[in-house]
Amino acid sequence: SQTIHQWPATLVQPVGSPLSLECTVEGTSNPNLYWYRQAAGRGLQLLFYSVGIGQISSEVPQNLSASRPQDRQFILSSKKLLLSDSGFYLCAWSAKGTGDLNYGYTFGSGTRLTVV
Amino acid sequence: AQKVTQAQTEISVVEKEDVTLDCVYETRDTTYYLFWYKQPPSGELVFLIRRNSFDEQNEISGRYSWNFQKSTSSFNFTITASQVVDSAVYFCALRAILYNQGGKLIFGQGTELSVKP
């Protein structure tokens, strides 16, 4: 069965420090991968998505970047965190292809980031 | 552009009341998928339902029911006889079918439901 791992669960980082959040998927190949952020206002904002290794699409200009060095690994990074980067970060994957079964999503358990 | 609007930011009901959460979407795609997710205080997203744009049949699952109306671009969610455990944030979401959009899921802002005993 497919699983998605996201870590760490919580993180407190000072302003100006770097960030690296990692997400890995098991039990599938060539997935679409996504990073979402949920700020205090509750809405889920799509930050990045990737349809393959090295292919990253950015949805919102910001202080963050994403990379996909391996098929089932998706990394969210920042060189210097801002206070506004605080939030709840969720990784997700979905399968490619057609048919109803390929249009589901699986979300990780999330990382709660507090920038102080 | 694609957009999902959940106009109700917060709803508070007393246990056993029925409650409907509204969702209105915008898309130029003729084929798309709509979703509802529940987010309890722990933060994880719990999948509730997925609906294909070709299937306008309403669906009922226990105390949950969904009313999909393509003519008004709405996909509303009703909880019958609400319970305290239904308290959570509920998200409506839209997925484009086009491959070059990466199958991204666009969420509404969410509706926080509070069910009081």
Side-chain angles (χ1 to χ4, degrees):
Chain A
S1 64
Q2 302 94 352
T3 56
I4 181 169
H5 302 281
Q6 188 180 343
W7 67 93
T10 59
L11 192 59
V12 179
Q13 292 283 98
V15 170
S17 64
L19 172 73
S20 180
L21 301 181
E22 188 164 341
C23 172
T24 59
V25 180
E26 295 178 356
T28 188
S29 61
N30 195 27
N32 290 329
L33 296 172
Y34 313 88
W35 277 111
Y36 285 88
R37 177 171 63 195
Q38 186 175 30
R42 201 174 55 240
L44 280 159
Q45 181 184 42
L46 178 64
L47 301 176
F48 301 95
Y49 67 92
S50 171
V51 299
I53 296 175
Q55 301 179 60
I56 308 295
S57 296
S58 174
E59 288 291 297
V60 182
Q62 60 213 324
N63 184 42
L64 302 169
S65 62
S67 61
R68 185 170 176 174
Q70 301 179 42
D71 181 45
R72 291 169 291 175
Q73 184 184 30
F74 204 24
I75 298 173
L76 183 68
S77 304
S78 174
K79 292 182 179 178
K80 290 185 179 181
L81 283 169
L82 306 172
L83 287 174
S84 58
D85 291 324
S86 293
F88 188 56
Y89 290 82
L90 282 161
C91 179
W93 77 273
S94 70
K96 294 189 180 67
T98 59
D100 269 12
L101 293 179
N102 289 327
Y103 293 122
Y105 293 79
T106 302
F107 285 84
S109 54
T111 296
R112 203 164 298 276
L113 171 67
T114 304
V115 183
V116 296
Chain B
Q2 297 171 314
K3 185 179 179 181
V4 177
T5 301
Q6 294 178 255
Q8 305 150 308
T9 305
E10 298 178 5
I11 299 176
S12 182
V13 300
V14 177
E15 208 169 19
K16 298 184 182 177
E17 286 185 17
D18 298 348
V19 58
T20 295
L21 309 182
D22 297 332
C23 173
V24 174
Y25 62 91
E26 297 174 28
T27 181
R28 294 180 183 175
D29 295 331
T30 56
T31 303
Y32 49 88
Y33 280 79
L34 295 165
F35 298 75
W36 275 96
Y37 283 88
K38 175 182 180 179
Q39 187 181 41
S42 55
E44 79 271 21
L45 283 175
V46 178
F47 168 77
L48 296 178
I49 190 173
R50 176 177 64 242
R51 172 65 71 205
N52 183 318
S53 57
F54 291 141
D55 182 2
E56 291 193 65
Q57 195 171 16
N58 291 331
E59 183 159 338
I60 297 175
S61 176
R63 295 185 296 107
Y64 295 169
S65 62
W66 290 270
N67 183 352
F68 177 29
Q69 293 196 353
K70 216 168 178 179
S71 59
T72 57
S73 297
S74 65
F75 186 42
N76 296 338
F77 172 32
T78 297
I79 302 175
T80 303
S82 60
Q83 300 175 2
V84 173
V85 293
D86 295 328
S87 297
V89 180
Y90 291 86
F91 290 97
C92 180
L94 166 71
R95 172 177 173 152
I97 300 299
L98 293 176
Y99 178 80
N100 61 5
Q101 294 190 31
K104 57 190 178 185
L105 197 58
I106 306 300
F107 285 88
Q109 285 299 103
T111 297
E112 183 171 7
L113 175 63
S114 177
V115 182
K116 302 188 185 310

